[in-house]
Amino acid sequence: LRLNRDGTIPGDNPSFGPAALPGLWSIGHRNAQGAARRPGSDELWLVEHGPQGGDELNRVLPGRNYGWPLRSYGCPYGSPVGAACQVSGGTHAPDFEEPKTTWVPTSTAPAGMAFYDGDKFPEWRGNVLVGALAGQTLWRIVLDAAGNVTAREEVATVKALGKRIRDVAVGPDGWLYLLSDDGCIVRVDRQP
């Protein structure tokens, strides 16, 4: 949903979806875990858990359908993986919006996310940073100007911690802060 701070519906919201519900911005998201706005734009980005693989990073566009529950890169829980469902099989397009990247066949269980806009790691400016629960890591995702993923890597120093990363934030001091599931706040303050 996209609402104004006072609870009213913006006049430029798309009109689509089941019964053209007012306020609906996009549909077909499975299990949103982290959201962030891309610096210098109004673009909303979202990471979602997929079923048995198929975790996604999406740029959320107005009036678009991201596929769930009709389409996914994962397989529904309880169903046998095989001929009926292949993890990473098929595509969302043309009927549904394609994710910008997926984690298949093994789920990383993405969690909090942030765009890096600090000054401590200048080569990371504009990169998406995504915490991972099952993966116990931090993903650094490089985007081009059009929002396409050009590279994706695990940050080795965070992976070495062996902690489930629940949330990611860039502090006003430019350092990167992580919240782990066991309640620790970790400051990444040296070149990873």
Side-chain angles (χ1 to χ4, degrees):
L1 293 175
R2 179 177 174 242
L3 303 172
N4 292 317
R5 289 181 186 261
D6 65 2
T8 61
I9 298 168
D12 63 344
N13 264 14
S15 178
F16 81 107
L21 295 172
L24 211 53
W25 185 253
S26 64
I27 60 174
H29 301 284
R30 181 177 182 270
N31 186 346
Q33 293 291 310
R37 236 180 50 197
R38 190 174 187 185
S41 77
D42 285 332
E43 294 177 7
L44 175 65
W45 288 70
L46 187 71
V47 287
E48 307 174 34
H49 287 190
Q52 292 190 67
D55 300 333
E56 299 180 356
L57 170 67
N58 288 298
R59 181 175 69 180
V60 183
L61 300 170
R64 303 291 175 89
N65 185 337
Y66 290 81
W68 183 258
L70 303 175
R71 190 67 57 90
S72 172
Y73 284 99
C75 292
Y77 288 106
S79 68
V81 176
C85 184
Q86 289 289 71
V87 174
S88 78
T91 62
H92 283 57
D95 298 327
F96 304 104
E97 191 69 23
E98 283 289 332
K100 290 298 181 176
T101 193
T102 60
W103 286 267
V104 292
T106 303
S107 174
T108 196
M113 66 179 284
F115 279 88
Y116 187 77
D117 60 354
D119 60 356
K120 303 300 182 191
F121 309 109
E123 65 280 6
W124 286 11
R125 278 192 158 263
N127 291 182
V128 184
L129 302 171
V130 178
L133 301 172
Q136 297 183 338
T137 194
L138 178 72
W139 290 94
R140 183 175 73 94
I141 302 168
V142 181
L143 304 175
D144 65 16
N148 298 308
V149 174
T150 60
R152 184 179 83 181
E153 69 175 0
E154 291 181 87
V155 177
T157 55
V158 176
K159 180 75 172 174
L161 296 173
K163 293 184 177 287
R164 292 165 48 98
I165 305 302
R166 175 65 61 186
D167 204 4
V168 180
V170 179
D173 57 2
W175 296 122
L176 181 62
Y177 293 89
L178 310 174
L179 173 65
S180 66
D181 252 11
D182 60 359
C184 293
I185 296 177
V186 177
R187 184 174 86 171
V188 180
D189 62 357
R190 61 184 169 87
Q191 183 60 40

